[in-house]
């Protein structure tokens, strides 16, 4: 029984046909990693699932419910969260205020105007608890632009967890990280409870094979193969276009 | 909390005491500062907290003024007049906001400007409401139990509205919605990704700002007994932007200070030299170039109260968040 069915997505930017029938099925608890060379359309795929950009044709079905026409904020309500390949944070605000804004969006009163400050206290407590839980308690009063790049990358993941998503879309969470930062980020991702199913784009093969229970290969906008890590690793064609054939690999 | 009470107290005390220390001309001028202060605060709300730079904010002010002048021929209650002025301004903000908020930056600026120019044309060309000459009235603020006739009572009335507006806007800025609005200004894309319905935040802020500008316009009509199409002109729209800029964006009080500086210079420097607008322009340029935080920030720097200028979520929110956190720790 799959949680999320992504069926035959097509997306063009002018003459650039980026997604060509890309599909994917996510089951509950999956760590489903998407691999593929630069420019394959991986980020575009995530953008379309999340509603960041509209798709041309295709369907995204969450538990029997078509969500691909909904605006992002409705998809978030239904339990989808995401991170960005390029850090997308409130750089001028403190870590606390970043998380605070992320948690506030989940509150029923987030649109209340002319209500006093008192109402904020429960978000504040949650913010503290959240930062402790995810190991950023010592960074609370730092502004984001004072954090190291790796810390910003981690905050990117933490923010996406604030809405308590059922499904998390991670776009290259370890990109640009040092080996040690990468290692601790893998640990953090492993800490995410199984009640959260994950679709993750990743280039680093160590990360891929240490986290994935399924892998889909996206090539020129097509999902050319999907299966268990062993199957993908053993496949001739995949080895040629991805592991062998001079395509970009960090591993 | 303490600082809020103190602020209210100081404002009320100032409004009460000032007239005894001042000449009638000063009272008259400060009345104008208070009206323009409400107007500038309302623009400051969307500019400094929402990142929406409007060159058409005078639309709401003008609509408020015209509403009071036109309706005063039929109605005398100040409550009804101002309420309708606010509602009409809000309605116009709602309709134009829905359209303008789809665009950003310079396009937003030009769209808001276009809507206001449209009003200018309608009001100056039409045969009703006095056309290009404008329309006069002889309405006195009628509170139901008393009719205010003296300039001093008008000053108190407008002082009251000013304090009320300031407090309401402050509440708004610190509300969940106001906080979200500041998040949108910081990083709209992330706010969308976090699940905020960003468009609604902007439209609501735009309507609230329009409503307060409408109130300011309505009060202005009580003071000047007159409304003319110039209220929708470029000059008016630019003036209020300058007030917000020189006073300081990202705070509520900054724009009020800007209105004060502007009006004082206009009244005093213009008695000394014809080139008062040149002086105003130089101050404007200097502040834009050297001190983005405006005059308020300059003062804060002088008295050493502020180390860095960041008066949106980071500061106003951060400070109060930290205060809350501290209080918790000591409990
Ligand atoms: N918003 C956009 N407008 C126009 N073209 C775009 C847009 N987003 C992506 N593209 C194009 O779509 C193609 C795929 O880009 P995408 O970012 O999805 O690739 P990717 O697989 O994530 O690559 P990478 O591994 O470098 O992150 C590229 O040719 C890119 O230029
Ligand atoms: Mg990408």
């Amino acid at each position: 029984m799959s949680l999320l069915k992504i069926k035959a997505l097509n997306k063009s930017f002018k003459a650039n046909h980026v997604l060509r029938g890309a599909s994917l099925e996510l089951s509950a608890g999956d760590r489903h990693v998407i691999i593929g060379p630069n420019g394959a359309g991986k980020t575009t795929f995530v953008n379309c699932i999340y509603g960041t950009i509209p798709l041309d044709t295709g369907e995204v079905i969450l538990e029997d419910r078509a969500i691909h026409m909904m605006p992002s904020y409705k998809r978030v309500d239904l339990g989808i969260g995401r991170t960005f390949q390029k850090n997308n944070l409130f750089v001028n605000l403190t870590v606390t205020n970043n998380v605070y804004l992320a948690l506030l969006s989940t509150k029923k009163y987030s649109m209340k105007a002319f209500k006093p400050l008192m109402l904020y206290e429960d978000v504040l407590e949650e913010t503290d608890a959240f930062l402790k839980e995810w190991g950023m308690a010592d960074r609370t009063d730092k502004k984001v632009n004072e954090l190291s790049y790796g810390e910003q990358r981690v905050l990117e993941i933490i923010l996406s967890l604030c809405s308590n998503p059922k499904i998390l879309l991670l776009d290259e969470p370890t990109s640009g990280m040092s080996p040690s930062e990468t290692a601790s980020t893998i640990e953090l991702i492993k800490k995410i409870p199984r009640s959260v199913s994950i679709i993750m784009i990743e280039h680093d093969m160590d990360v891929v094979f240490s986290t994935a229970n399924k892998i889909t290969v996206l090539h020129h906008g097509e999902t050319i193969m999907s299966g268990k890590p062993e199957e993908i690793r053993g496949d001739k064609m995949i080895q040629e276009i991805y592991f062998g054939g001079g395509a970009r690999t960090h591993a | 909390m303490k600082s809020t009470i103190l602020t209210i107290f100081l404002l009320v005390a100032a409004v009460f005491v000032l007239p005894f220390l001042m000449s009638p001309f000063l009272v008259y001028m400060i009345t104008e500062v208070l009206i323009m202060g409400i107007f500038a605060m309302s623009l400051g709300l969307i500019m400094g907290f929402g990142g929406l730079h409007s060159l058409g904010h005078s639309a709401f002010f003008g609509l408020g003024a015209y509403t009071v002048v036109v309706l005063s021929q039929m109605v005398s209650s100040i409550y009804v007049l101002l309420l309708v002025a606010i509602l009409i301004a809000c309605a116009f903000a709602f309709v134009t906001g829905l359209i303008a908020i789809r665009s950003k930056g310079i396009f937003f600026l030009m769209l808001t400007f276009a809507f206001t120019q449209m009003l200018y044309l309608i009001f100056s060309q039409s045969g009703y409401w006095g056309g290009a000459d404008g329309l006069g009235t002889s309405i006195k603020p009628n509170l139901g139990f008393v009719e205010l006739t003296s300039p001093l009572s008008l000053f108190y009335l407008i002082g009251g509205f000013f304090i009320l507006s300031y407090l309401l806007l402050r509440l708004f800025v610190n509300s969940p919605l106001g906080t979200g609005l500041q998040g949108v200004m910081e990083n709209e894309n992330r706010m969308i990704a976090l699940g905020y319905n960003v468009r609604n935040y902007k439209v609501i802020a735009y309507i609230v700002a329009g409503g307060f500008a409408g109130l300011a316009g309505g009060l202005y009509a009580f003071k000047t007994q007159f409304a003319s199409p110039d209220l929708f002109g470029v000059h008016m729209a630019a003036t209020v932007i300058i007030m917000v800029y020189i006073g300081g964006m990202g705070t509520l009080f900054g724009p009020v200070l800007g209105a004060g500086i502007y009006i004082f210079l206009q009244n005093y420097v213009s008695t000394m030299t014809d080139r008062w607008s040149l002086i105003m322009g130089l101050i404007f340029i200097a502040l834009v170039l050297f001190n983005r935080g405006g005059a308020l920030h300059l003062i804060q720097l002088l008295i050493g109260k502020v180390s860095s200028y960041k008066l949106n979520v980071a500061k106003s929110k951060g400070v109060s968040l930290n205060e809350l956190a501290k209080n918790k720790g000591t409990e």
Side-chain angles (χ1 to χ4, degrees):
Chain A
M1 179 46 210
S2 48
L3 180 62
L4 187 73
K5 283 199 195 99
I6 302 151
K7 295 184 188 165
L9 301 195
N10 273 286
K11 176 73 193 175
S12 302
F13 298 104
K14 303 231 168 74
N16 188 2
H17 195 167
V18 175
L19 291 182
R20 304 158 183 258
S23 305
L24 189 151
E25 286 207 16
L26 183 74
S27 304
D30 270 356
R31 268 64 186 136
H32 197 136
V33 176
I34 299 174
I35 60 173
N38 283 125
K42 303 180 295 299
T43 298
T44 306
F45 192 54
V46 162
N47 283 342
C48 288
I49 300 171
Y50 199 72
T52 307
I53 57 173
L55 46 82
D56 296 342
T57 63
E59 289 180 349
V60 182
I61 315 280
L62 173 67
E63 295 168 326
D64 297 327
R65 200 162 167 186
I67 62 166
H68 52 271
M69 301 300 280
M70 293 179 179
S72 276
Y73 68 88
K74 286 216 176 116
R75 302 189 204 201
V76 176
D77 270 355
L78 292 175
I80 304 187
R82 79 166 291 180
T83 68
F84 291 86
Q85 181 173 356
K86 282 201 195 99
N87 287 339
N88 190 359
L89 304 161
F90 304 98
V91 288
N92 298 316
L93 305 190
T94 61
V95 171
T96 298
N97 283 333
N98 270 261
V99 173
Y100 182 88
L101 277 172
L103 286 170
L104 183 64
S105 85
T106 64
K107 300 292 171 193
K108 280 210 185 68
Y109 55 75
S110 65
M111 295 275 308
K112 287 262 156 63
F114 303 111
K115 288 266 174 159
L117 209 61
M118 307 298 230
L119 272 173
Y120 294 122
E121 289 207 31
D122 62 324
V123 195
L124 187 76
E125 277 163 22
E126 283 172 42
T127 302
D128 282 348
F130 215 82
L131 285 166
K132 265 200 202 94
E133 186 181 346
W134 296 101
M136 273 220 160
D138 57 333
R139 287 281 178 273
T140 50
D141 291 334
K142 276 237 158 56
K143 276 194 196 173
V144 168
N145 55 19
E146 294 162 6
L147 297 180
S148 75
Y149 173 79
E151 286 171 327
Q152 294 185 20
R153 263 341 257 144
V154 171
L155 185 59
E156 183 76 37
I157 300 175
I158 294 179
L159 285 196
S160 72
L161 287 166
C162 287
S163 61
N164 196 15
K166 281 190 285 212
I167 295 171
L168 198 53
L169 313 172
L170 301 175
D171 194 348
E172 300 199 26
T174 66
S175 72
M177 280 187 169
S178 70
S180 69
E181 286 171 337
T182 300
S184 65
T185 304
I186 296 177
E187 288 314 304
L188 185 132
I189 291 171
K190 283 184 175 162
K191 229 180 92 184
I192 298 172
R194 283 277 154 175
S195 56
V196 183
S197 312
I198 297 177
I199 294 178
M200 175 165 92
I201 298 170
E202 188 54 67
H203 276 301
D204 186 324
M205 285 305 140
D206 292 340
V207 181
V208 173
F209 287 106
S210 67
T211 49
N213 72 332
K214 275 201 195 118
I215 295 175
T216 288
V217 185
L218 190 71
H219 191 62
H220 288 311
E222 285 176 69
T223 38
I224 53 172
M225 193 174 180
S226 197
K228 296 210 174 78
E230 313 86 78
E231 293 167 10
I232 302 295
R233 205 203 285 263
D235 189 272
K236 271 251 168 68
M237 186 171 75
I238 302 301
Q239 284 190 339
E240 225 151 80
I241 61 171
Y242 208 76
F243 299 109
R248 163 186 154 192
T249 50
H250 292 286
Chain B
M1 210 45 215
K2 251 188 207 157
S3 73
T4 312
I5 294 169
L6 189 71
T7 317
I8 299 173
F9 178 77
L10 285 177
L11 281 173
V12 172
V15 168
F16 260 98
V17 173
L18 279 178
F20 295 103
L21 309 172
M22 301 184 311
S23 67
F25 176 67
L26 253 182
V27 170
Y28 176 86
M29 211 170 75
I30 296 208
T31 309
E32 184 164 335
V33 170
L34 292 175
I35 293 173
M36 295 310 280
I38 298 177
F39 186 27
M41 268 196 296
S42 73
L43 179 63
L45 177 74
I46 52 173
M47 268 172 69
F49 294 91
L52 297 167
H53 296 257
S54 166
L55 188 54
H57 206 55
S58 54
F60 313 113
F61 189 86
L63 282 173
Y66 265 102
T67 304
V68 167
V69 170
V70 171
L71 283 187
S72 67
Q73 294 159 357
M74 293 157 258
V75 191
S76 67
S77 161
I78 184 171
Y79 307 114
V80 175
L81 289 172
L82 288 180
L83 191 70
V84 178
I86 292 170
L87 287 179
I88 287 182
C90 285
F92 188 73
F94 175 65
V95 176
T96 57
L98 277 183
I99 301 166
I101 260 138
R102 290 162 174 276
S103 52
K104 284 179 198 152
I106 187 77
F107 299 104
F108 178 78
L109 194 96
M110 291 320 288
L111 266 177
T112 52
F113 179 60
F115 286 128
T116 308
Q117 283 297 292
M118 198 178 76
L119 288 180
Y120 179 80
L121 284 176
I122 291 172
F123 278 83
S124 60
Q125 303 289 319
S126 95
Y128 309 100
W129 314 310
D133 296 334
L135 191 63
T137 179
S138 58
I139 179 88
K140 296 273 172 281
N142 183 346
L143 299 181
F145 52 94
V146 61
E147 202 182 60
L148 305 176
T149 48
S150 72
L152 192 61
S153 57
L154 187 72
F155 171 83
Y156 282 133
L157 176 79
I158 287 169
F161 274 108
F162 173 80
I163 293 173
L164 189 69
S165 302
Y166 175 80
L167 292 177
L168 283 173
L169 284 171
R170 204 175 143 135
L171 211 53
F172 181 81
V173 164
N174 286 321
S175 73
L177 199 133
T179 308
L181 186 67
Q182 294 165 62
V184 174
M185 185 170 81
E186 283 294 326
N187 185 345
E188 182 164 351
N189 285 334
R190 182 45 116 169
M191 289 299 275
I192 294 171
L194 287 174
Y196 284 94
N197 182 348
V198 163
R199 183 144 68 101
N200 283 1
Y201 279 72
K202 289 185 182 176
V203 171
I204 292 173
Y206 197 67
I207 294 171
V208 169
F212 279 98
L215 170 68
L219 293 171
Y220 182 78
F222 276 103
K223 176 173 168 286
T224 59
Q225 309 280 307
F226 188 68
S228 83
D230 287 343
L231 295 179
F232 301 111
V234 190
H235 185 254
M236 192 70 180
T239 299
V240 66
I241 289 187
I242 292 175
M243 286 174 177
V244 172
Y245 251 102
I246 58 177
M249 275 209 288
T251 63
L252 281 178
F253 195 69
V256 179
L257 189 67
I261 295 172
Y262 189 95
I263 292 167
F264 268 80
L265 281 175
Q266 187 178 36
N267 283 287
Y268 283 108
V269 183
S270 65
T271 59
M272 292 177 260
T273 156
D274 291 342
R275 308 237 158 77
W276 87 272
S277 54
L278 178 70
I279 294 177
M280 191 68 241
L282 288 176
I283 292 178
F284 183 48
I285 291 169
L287 281 171
V288 169
L289 280 182
F290 302 114
N291 193 302
R292 293 287 178 90
L296 184 64
H297 182 225
L298 219 56
I299 293 171
Q300 286 169 331
L301 281 182
L302 286 177
I303 60 177
K305 274 207 76 164
V306 163
S307 50
S308 75
Y309 182 72
K310 188 73 218 166
L311 288 161
N312 38 50
V313 190
K315 179 139 198 330
S316 61
K317 201 82 260 359
V319 168
S320 34
L321 280 175
N322 294 340
E323 273 171 9
L324 278 174
K326 263 184 225 141
N327 293 342
K328 262 209 178 54
T330 53
E331 260 165 26

